[in-house]
């Protein structure tokens, strides 16, 4: 089982990201699991804590990521879920941990290593014809 869960929600070419108060890096919303909590229950709880006004459609597991991030050297153990729909205001619930939530283009923004890994797998760079 994964140690944490992350949510990927996309709308009109943008993804839902939250900014950490501690270092100003952006990440996909989610967080660490508690004892005897499933990956999906963890995600639902974390979203309710971080973004209480956000309403999610059906969420499905995309992938469980376990390994070491090649760029940062950090160990990853995440369950990554994809939301079919996400609506509602991006009101911050946990202001000690997060200071902002927004829909951003997936590139051109400072991401955490795990979020960068997710972005690179789900939203690869488009190759220009040569």
């Amino acid at each position: 089982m994964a140690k944490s869960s992350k949510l990927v929600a996309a709308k009109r070419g943008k993804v839902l990201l939250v900014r950490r108060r501690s270092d100003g890096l952006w990440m996909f919303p989610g967080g660490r699991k508690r004892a005897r909590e499933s990956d999906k229950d963890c995600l639902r709880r974390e979203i309710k804590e971080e973004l209480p006004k956000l309403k999610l459609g059906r969420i499905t597991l995309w992938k469980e990521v376990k390994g070491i991030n090649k760029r940062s050297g950090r160990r990853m153990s995440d369950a990554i879920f994809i939301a079919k729909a996400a609506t509602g205001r991006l009101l911050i619930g946990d202001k000690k941990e997060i200071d902002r939530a927004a829909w951003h283009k997936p590139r051109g923004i400072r991401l955490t290593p795990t979020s960068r890994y997710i972005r690179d797998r789900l939203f690869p760079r488009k190759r220009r014809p040569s």
Side-chain angles (χ1 to χ4, degrees):
M1 281 195 138
K3 291 183 183 175
S4 65
S5 295
K6 301 279 184 218
L7 173 73
V8 177
K11 187 190 312 187
R12 291 184 222 109
K14 296 183 177 183
V15 293
L16 177 62
L17 297 170
V18 293
R19 187 172 64 188
R20 292 194 304 202
R21 186 174 288 282
S22 61
D23 58 8
L25 292 177
W26 291 85
M27 64 182 186
F28 290 101
R32 291 186 183 247
K33 281 180 27 179
R34 293 180 178 165
R36 293 185 290 279
E37 186 175 52
S38 74
D39 295 336
K40 199 176 258 190
D41 289 340
C42 168
L43 180 68
R44 290 180 203 271
R45 176 183 52 78
E46 284 288 341
I47 295 300
K48 194 169 187 175
E49 287 173 7
E50 292 176 2
L51 302 166
K53 298 287 183 185
L54 186 70
K55 302 289 183 239
L56 296 176
R58 192 172 77 226
I59 57 174
T60 55
L61 180 66
W62 171 65
K63 188 176 189 179
E64 274 198 42
V65 177
K66 292 184 184 204
I68 296 176
N69 188 306
K70 292 176 185 171
R71 292 176 102 182
S72 69
R74 292 191 64 216
R75 189 173 300 246
M76 296 181 293
S77 180
D78 297 291
I80 296 130
F81 291 88
I82 296 178
K84 298 293 178 194
T87 59
R89 290 184 34 229
L90 298 180
L91 179 74
I92 304 298
D94 186 0
K95 293 187 178 176
K96 291 179 184 172
E97 184 181 343
I98 295 167
D99 67 351
R100 191 154 176 237
W103 292 94
H104 275 283
K105 289 188 176 183
R107 302 233 173 247
I109 192 162
R110 291 182 53 223
L111 294 172
T112 62
T114 301
S115 294
R116 200 168 37 240
Y117 172 88
I118 295 167
R119 178 208 57 198
D120 291 346
R121 296 305 175 277
L122 284 173
F123 307 98
R125 287 188 187 273
K126 292 181 180 161
R127 302 258 181 210
R128 292 181 187 209
S130 37

